[in-house]
């Protein structure tokens, strides 16, 4: 297979394989493309698993073609297995960034080639020569797995626009309408591939570096207007949206200025144990200022969606933090008891039996989940890519607004988890 290395001018931005943790905010110079890369997983999770640093398995980026249209891509590394899946997801993202920059013009509505082009892209992602371990053995991702998603815009000779894309697994794509009779609604472009309700481990398919494609490639094509927004995301977002109402919840979140900043109170008593509906979000933020949807830039959209996830997972984040800290403490006590041959009062738990520790922790976790009041969010890595079809399809916000929050909600300063490190790229 022909290598794409060094064939393209740098017209894209992509997450970096040498930065294992979250990247924060990236925005293109022209403002039409943005990305937010965060995690709601507590640091204690990584300590409990004896990893050296925080890892964000979600990888992706955005770019622009030579004829002025935009594209985006998301690859969600499977959590189990650690860095090998991060390296695989990053390898997929690097390949997709270059491939889409070179071959997006081949996506032509009605040509019948979408399926074959999507297969060609994903096969290139998983090909052995795409393994970063060939350049640095420390970055070997052979056998690593991730879900995959891309979307790119076709511009016809008459100026009409179409979004084409494909996915393997449960990452999701939305089209937010901002110019026609559907104004204010969102369309789930990847409806068929969203995983079923059997469990969090069921992701509907994955890409495996050096191995192949496991699962079906789902494709989509829909007309778009230049004012619309395309949103690509990992399940770190969709698992925290009440999906039966995603058509209206996504646009609502985009307009809420309260999410220009992280919110540190999650109204636990009001929404205990479940995700809020559209009506409940509207009521809770009824007294806050709202933007017109048409005025929301790609940057603002990406920030608000990820701050929504931060808010919705606050209670779960606290619980998981305590859980993994307890796991680390128990493991240390177990090691000390084994070395000193002294057995604490809870003999079974502290005698070095990992199965006993795991059993106790799992029972405690399930009990806490049922008895503590918090919104039913899920902690996870999160990547959100937002772009308008062309460079001129988005409006710029001059500054982030400071809004009065709903009663009982506290808005802290904006220096939160270092997620405001703007990165830009230049189109030559």
């Amino acid at each position: 297979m022909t290598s794409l290395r060094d064939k393209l001018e740098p017209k894209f931005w992509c997450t970096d394989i040498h930065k294992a943790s979250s990247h924060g905010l990236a925005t293109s110079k022209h403002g039409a493309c943005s990305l937010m890369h965060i995690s709601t997983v507590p640091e204690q999770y990584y300590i409990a698993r004896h990893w050296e640093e925080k890892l964000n398995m979600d990888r992706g980026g955005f770019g622009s073609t030579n004829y002025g249209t935009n594209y985006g891509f998301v690859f969600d590394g499977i959590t189990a297995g650690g860095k090998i899946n991060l390296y695989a997801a990053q390898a997929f993202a690097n390949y997709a960034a270059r491939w889409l920059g070179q071959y997006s013009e081949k996506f032509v509505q009605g040509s019948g080639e979408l399926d074959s082009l999507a297969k060609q892209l994903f096969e290139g992602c998983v090909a052995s020569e795409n393994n970063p371990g060939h350049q640095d053995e420390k970055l070997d991702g052979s056998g690593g797995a991730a879900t995959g998603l891309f979307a790119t815009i076709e511009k016809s000779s008459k100026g009409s626009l179409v979004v084409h894309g494909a996915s393997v697994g449960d990452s999701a794509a939305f089209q937010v309408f901002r110019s026609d009779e559907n104004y204010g609604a969102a369309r789930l472009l990847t409806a068929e591939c969203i995983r079923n309700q059997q469990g969090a481990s069921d992701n509907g398919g994955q890409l495996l570096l050096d191995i192949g494609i496991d699962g079906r490639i789902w494709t989509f094509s829909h007309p778009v207007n230049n004012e619309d927004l395309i949103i690509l995301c990992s399940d770190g977002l969709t698992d925290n949206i009440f999906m039966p109402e995603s058509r209206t919840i996504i646009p609502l979140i985009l307009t809420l200025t309260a999410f220009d900043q992280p919110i540190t109170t999650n109204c636990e008593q009001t929404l205990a144990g479940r995700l809020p509906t559209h009506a409940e979000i509207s009521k809770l933020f009824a007294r806050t200022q709202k933007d017109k949807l048409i005025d929301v830039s790609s940057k603002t959209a990406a920030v608000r969606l990820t701050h929504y996830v931060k808010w919705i997972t606050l209670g779960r984040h606290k619980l998981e933090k305590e859980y993994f800290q307890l796991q680390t403490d128990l493991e240390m006590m177990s090691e000390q008891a084994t070395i000193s041959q002294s057995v604490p009062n809870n003999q079974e738990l502290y005698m070095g039996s990992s199965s006993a520790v795991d059993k106790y922790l799992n029972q405690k976790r399930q009990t806490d989940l049922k008895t503590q009041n918090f919104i039913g969010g899920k902690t996870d890595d999160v990547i959100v890519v937002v772009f308008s079809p062309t460079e001129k399809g988005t409006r710029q916000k001059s500054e982030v607004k400071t809004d009065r929050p709903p009663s009982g909600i506290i808005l802290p300063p904006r220096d939160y988890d270092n997620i405001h490190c703007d990165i830009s790229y230049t189109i030559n």
Side-chain angles (χ1 to χ4, degrees):
M1 184 175 293
T2 303
S3 173
L4 294 177
R5 291 184 180 277
D6 303 323
K7 282 193 173 184
L8 299 175
E9 295 296 325
K11 299 179 180 178
F12 60 86
W13 187 90
C14 186
T15 48
D16 184 355
I17 197 169
H18 298 290
K19 183 175 175 57
S21 59
S22 300
H23 289 53
L25 174 65
T27 304
S28 63
K29 283 286 188 181
H30 50 59
C33 306
S34 294
L35 172 151
M36 277 287 277
H37 188 235
I38 68 167
S39 180
T40 59
V41 178
E43 184 176 2
Q44 285 75 11
Y45 169 85
Y46 305 97
I47 297 173
R49 275 154 176 70
H50 309 292
W51 292 343
E52 297 178 358
E53 58 185 321
K54 291 183 180 180
L55 306 180
N56 191 320
M57 303 292 181
D58 293 358
R59 300 279 134 170
F62 52 76
S64 297
T65 66
N66 289 327
Y67 47 97
T69 59
N70 300 316
Y71 60 87
F73 45 93
V74 165
F75 296 90
D76 182 355
I78 307 303
T79 300
K83 282 189 176 181
I84 186 175
N85 296 314
L86 184 155
Y87 296 149
Q90 186 62 61
F92 302 157
N94 289 344
Y95 187 89
R98 292 168 170 80
W99 194 96
L100 289 167
Q102 184 170 355
Y103 296 116
S104 280
E105 71 274 7
K106 293 183 178 293
F107 290 88
V108 178
Q109 188 177 23
S111 67
E113 295 186 10
L114 178 56
D115 289 349
S116 62
L117 286 169
K119 182 179 180 182
Q120 180 182 343
L121 169 54
F122 288 136
E123 286 180 342
C125 287
V126 301
S128 178
E129 53 264 39
N130 192 40
N131 187 346
H134 294 316
Q135 284 72 47
D136 184 345
E137 62 181 12
K138 295 180 181 179
L139 304 178
D140 185 14
S142 181
T147 64
L149 166 68
F150 75 88
T152 186
I153 303 297
E154 172 213 345
K155 185 176 183 179
S156 72
S157 58
K158 296 182 179 180
S160 61
L161 300 168
V162 178
V163 58
H164 302 287
S167 63
V168 175
D170 59 3
S171 293
F174 297 89
Q175 174 186 357
V176 179
F177 297 94
R178 304 201 296 178
S179 63
D180 56 19
E181 65 276 7
N182 294 313
Y183 180 94
R187 170 193 283 154
L188 178 61
L189 299 172
T190 48
E192 295 90 348
C193 71
I194 296 297
R195 70 163 183 250
N196 62 39
Q197 300 301 312
Q198 293 178 359
S201 62
D202 176 20
N203 58 34
Q206 56 192 353
L207 307 171
L208 298 106
L209 186 58
D210 282 349
I211 298 176
I213 302 169
D214 176 21
R216 179 174 174 178
I217 299 174
W218 298 91
T219 60
F220 56 86
S221 290
H222 290 283
V224 296
N225 292 310
N226 202 35
E227 295 81 6
D228 294 346
L229 289 177
I230 305 300
I231 299 172
L232 311 182
C233 64
S234 61
D235 63 352
L237 174 61
T238 53
D239 282 349
N240 291 297
I241 295 284
F242 183 58
M243 289 303 289
E245 297 183 6
S246 62
R247 183 176 182 272
T248 55
I249 289 177
I250 292 288
L252 174 61
I253 294 171
L254 298 189
T255 65
L256 294 175
T257 60
F259 288 118
D260 284 336
Q261 304 177 67
I263 298 175
T264 59
T265 305
N266 67 348
C267 300
E268 296 172 341
Q269 299 299 324
T270 305
L271 299 167
R274 59 184 175 82
L275 294 171
T277 64
H278 175 271
E280 288 168 331
I281 298 174
S282 297
K283 182 178 181 181
L284 184 60
F285 293 93
R287 293 189 296 168
T288 64
Q289 184 175 347
K290 296 181 178 64
D291 281 335
K292 293 181 179 178
L293 186 60
I294 190 63
D295 292 330
V296 176
S297 68
S298 65
K299 176 180 177 179
T300 301
V303 168
R304 289 176 180 172
L305 287 169
T306 48
H307 282 172
Y308 164 85
V309 175
K310 286 273 190 180
W311 170 67
I312 214 76
T313 57
L314 278 172
R316 185 64 172 261
H317 177 93
K318 179 181 178 181
L319 178 64
E320 296 287 352
K321 181 178 179 179
E322 296 172 353
Y323 172 82
F324 289 115
Q325 185 62 58
L326 178 59
Q327 178 179 343
T328 300
D329 293 344
L330 290 178
E331 288 173 349
M332 292 179 63
M333 294 174 70
S334 175
E335 292 173 1
Q336 293 171 2
T338 302
I339 293 172
S340 66
Q341 301 300 314
S342 61
V343 181
N345 293 332
N346 194 336
Q347 180 171 312
E348 180 186 15
L349 190 58
Y350 295 137
M351 282 192 65
S353 171
S354 60
S355 60
V357 171
D358 289 343
K359 181 180 178 180
Y360 169 78
L361 288 170
N362 287 330
Q363 289 175 343
K364 174 177 172 52
R365 189 183 195 196
Q366 293 305 315
T367 299
D368 289 345
L369 285 172
K370 292 178 181 178
T371 59
Q372 293 191 23
N373 289 325
F374 59 88
I375 297 177
K378 172 192 170 187
T379 58
D380 200 353
D381 298 333
V382 185
I383 187 168
V384 175
V385 177
V386 183
F387 62 92
S388 58
T390 70
E391 297 176 11
K392 298 181 180 180
T394 188
R395 301 189 183 188
Q396 295 287 336
K397 285 176 66 69
S398 59
E399 61 183 55
V400 176
K401 297 179 180 179
T402 300
D403 190 29
R404 184 179 68 176
S407 177
I409 288 182
I410 304 170
L411 300 185
R414 292 184 57 82
D415 54 343
Y416 187 68
D417 283 4
N418 299 317
I419 62 173
H420 301 287
C421 46
D422 288 85
I423 307 168
S424 59
Y425 71 100
T426 303
I427 302 297
N428 295 330

